Amino acid sequence: MAYCRTFKSQVSWTKLVSGEIQQRCFHSSPAVFGASKVAMSKLDTKPLPYDTLEKRIKIVADRLGKPLSLAEKVLYSHLDDPVNQDIERGVSYLKLRPDRVAMQDATAQMAMLQFISSGLPKVAVPSTIHCDHLIEAQTGGVEDLKRAKEMNEEVYNFLKSAGAKYGVGFWHPGSGIIHQIILENYAFPGLLMIGTDSHTPNGGGLGGLCIGVGGADAVDVMADIPWELKCPKVIGVHLTGKMTGWTTPKDVILKVADILTVKGGTGAIIEYHGPGVDNISCTGMGTICNMGAEIGATTSLFPFNHRMADYLKATSRADIAEEAAKYSKSLLTPDKGSHYDQLIEIDLTTLEPHVNGPFTPDLAHPISKLGKNAKKNNWPVEIKVGLIGSCTNSSYEDMSRCATIAKEALAHGRKSKIPFNVTPGSEQIRATIERDGIAQTLREFGGTVLANACGPCIGQWDRKDVKKGEKNTIVSSYNRNFTGRNDANAATHAFVTSPELVTALAIEARLDFDPTVDTIKGADGKEFKLSNPFGDELPARGFDPGQDTYQAPPADGSSLSVVVDPKSNRLQLLEPFKVWDGKDLEGLTILIKVKGKCTTDHISAAGPWLKYRGHLENISNNMLLTATNAENNEMNKVKNQDTGEWGAVPDTARAYKAKGISWVVFGDENYGEGSSREHAALEPRHLGGRAIIVKSFARIHETNLKKQGVLALTFSDPKDYDKVQPSDKVSLVGLNQFTPGKPLKCILSHADGSSDEILLNHTFNEQQIQWFKSGSALNRMKQMATASK
């Protein structure tokens, strides 16, 4: 393992950092370090920003006069104006300068269409597009990738040509999942990156603040406009002890999800720290940060340590590791005595392996209690499919450890009882596990190696083994398990756990099998117990890069053209939304009063709908298809308040739009939980929605609504949700006095002639109010650009 392991112990790591600090203090001037030319990545020429970040954070630290957490250091060092920026956790809106932008192909379509609409010639920061969402899992990696390239040729060509024209790097289909590509190539300690996918926080495994956003936010950054973020609170997770047995990094975040629930991290950064951190691999830290999206966190991160340095060296970025070490104390670790708004203690030594689900990622079960809980709740105990990989758990370490379990089972004549799907996270991972025999072991175990893409994790799965509506159980190492998420079957009970547990459970195909204590009958009739999983953290022979799948943009793409066929059913140029007419919104019709959980999957389904992500008119046909109507407890069935007829939600919205009837949606807690997909905000706006009124919002969705000129409002008294009747007419009054911090008045006019007046809170600041008045953030951008000429 000499190739991968440079730092042999924490002692040597401490000496390295200490030595670097002394060298900086006594042998080098600031000018020398300011001239550092270590590039941000192997594929960029822009240098690491450490010197600038250090100067900014010193300004902020002097202003605040208190110890700073790591999250604060990284975030505040990217302030556009560190001298004058108001800084108050949970209150201030920070204006930030991210280092880069990353977009996956499903969201990049709308992001690039919006960027084209802005009229700007080129992106202002390093940006990339990653083709990972449009590849459907059917038979295997090679065949599925070939079919995807044929089916999505128009979209891929659009993204490739738009990238070339506007200076955006393009990762071809088959290159891998965006978050694994970022970790392998672009993430670095102290990075601030925004990505148009909710699992962008994966980069926190390399000490970066990587934040999921909608496409309109990405456009701001690419257009050189300071990016706005409400100053997050900081939740600390103090790790002690060391993982043993079947416990893995995945169990850390599954336990945190159990503690905080799906909305407990909203408005906060999760910062992991403590002596237990050094017992987790870099990719293991990435797994933990990745699933921070499931608790609503803005993002998650770990402090820079020797495990990150090992990974940087293994991925040909030793120069970045060395440069980061120089700034470890000032930028990349928390100050002693830094304050956390909430502190969680987890002892890795006593942490038990967990399985979370079904239907929500925060319903946690220690493996010792899973079988009992399944039987008590009448969940199908028989497992139909096991799936490992995804952006959360597809590292070399993950695959290596699963292969050791598979080898042991095979040695006793046993293998997976059920279909076992394997998703490599990247072309580099695929090529390396093929070279090292890991992929072949997993095939012998009964596995099918799928394409380097998201696949079943996001619903891109042409599943054939059960019928729609058939009650069944699947277990995966994915991150998200909402109703119908993986296979569009609402009766599928999906559980998430570590890839090691998925592999073990696949042998017996039952939820009541506990590999930590139970035995398995071998082919010879003798009982055996699986050994504790083990495997190499990094490949001893280094990574095999596989096929070159990256296309850099030309230095000057101004002469290139991007063509969108007006007859296309996949791509559609955007028309600006109408500006606010200056009047109150009176007599709004209620499209639907949503009951219970309503994620972005409910608002804008993925799966087969992904092909329309670049065509707003077509994808709007999926709006709120699986949201539960409080009036009848049914999905996709609402009453047209104009005609009295019952129909599908999008059809009813279109009927209202055709008659010029504006409408509103009422919803429950944590509305818009889940993906960063801005289509969940674009579709209501496109079909005539003016306001979404709920008990509480998930962070990204609330911002996406604001960006598209939709009023995102919450009940001042959550009990007022019960006053809303589906036949009400809704008036939002006093909009000419719409100001930050001041509730809006809402009048519910009931069918019997009575009315209720309620107050609605909001988090709009002055700039966001201008988005509403202008019709959208993009409209506002154009207005400002015109005014400056």
Side-chain angles (χ1 to χ4, degrees), residues 585 731-735 742-747 757-760:
L585 299 177
S731 295
L732 302 173
V733 299
L735 287 175
K742 182 180 179 181
L744 289 174
K745 185 187 297 184
C746 173
I747 300 172
E757 184 176 303
I758 63 175
L759 291 179
L760 302 174

Side-chain angles (χ1 to χ4, degrees), residues 502-516:
V502 174
T503 306
L505 290 171
I507 300 170
E508 292 291 87
R510 293 185 61 84
L511 289 178
D512 55 1
F513 171 64
D514 180 357
T516 69

